[in-house]
Amino acid sequence: MQKVKKASYNQLKEVLEEMYDHIHSQDQDIKYLSNENQYLSDYIKWKGLTEDFEYFKAHAHKVRLDEDLPFENYVL
């Protein structure tokens, strides 16, 4: 039977700190993106583009516009 290696307190503390840093970073990203989403939503309403936006959501599809980039863009 193999012995299970137990982590030391310092190792556990390091892992916990890394996890906390990662969670904190993700939380900051979520807050930033939530604010950006709110700005975009409010701008669409302010400009009276709600119907245009709904049409775009319903009919847009993804296309790779630049082969050098690793992502696609939504287009009509």
Side-chain angles (χ1 to χ4, degrees):
M1 202 178 231
Q2 238 179 350
K3 279 191 170 183
V4 176
K5 204 175 193 181
K6 291 186 180 180
S8 71
Y9 175 78
N10 288 335
Q11 289 171 324
L12 291 174
K13 187 177 176 183
E14 281 181 33
V15 170
L16 184 62
E17 287 172 356
E18 285 180 38
M19 288 181 359
Y20 173 79
D21 290 343
H22 179 71
I23 290 169
H24 180 72
S25 172
Q26 295 297 305
D27 186 52
Q28 293 299 102
D29 290 347
I30 289 169
K31 286 177 183 173
Y32 171 77
L33 292 172
S34 293
N35 285 336
E36 288 295 302
N37 188 44
Q38 188 64 48
Y39 276 119
L40 287 170
S41 177
D42 291 345
Y43 182 77
I44 288 168
K45 290 177 188 172
W46 178 70
K47 291 294 268 184
L49 299 172
T50 305
E51 288 181 19
D52 292 341
F53 178 68
E54 291 299 325
Y55 180 85
F56 185 80
K57 276 187 1 183
H59 297 94
H61 60 280
K62 286 187 174 183
V63 172
R64 188 175 304 264
L65 297 176
D66 186 347
E67 293 299 321
D68 294 333
L69 296 176
F71 52 84
E72 299 172 330
N73 296 86
Y74 280 105
V75 296
L76 286 177

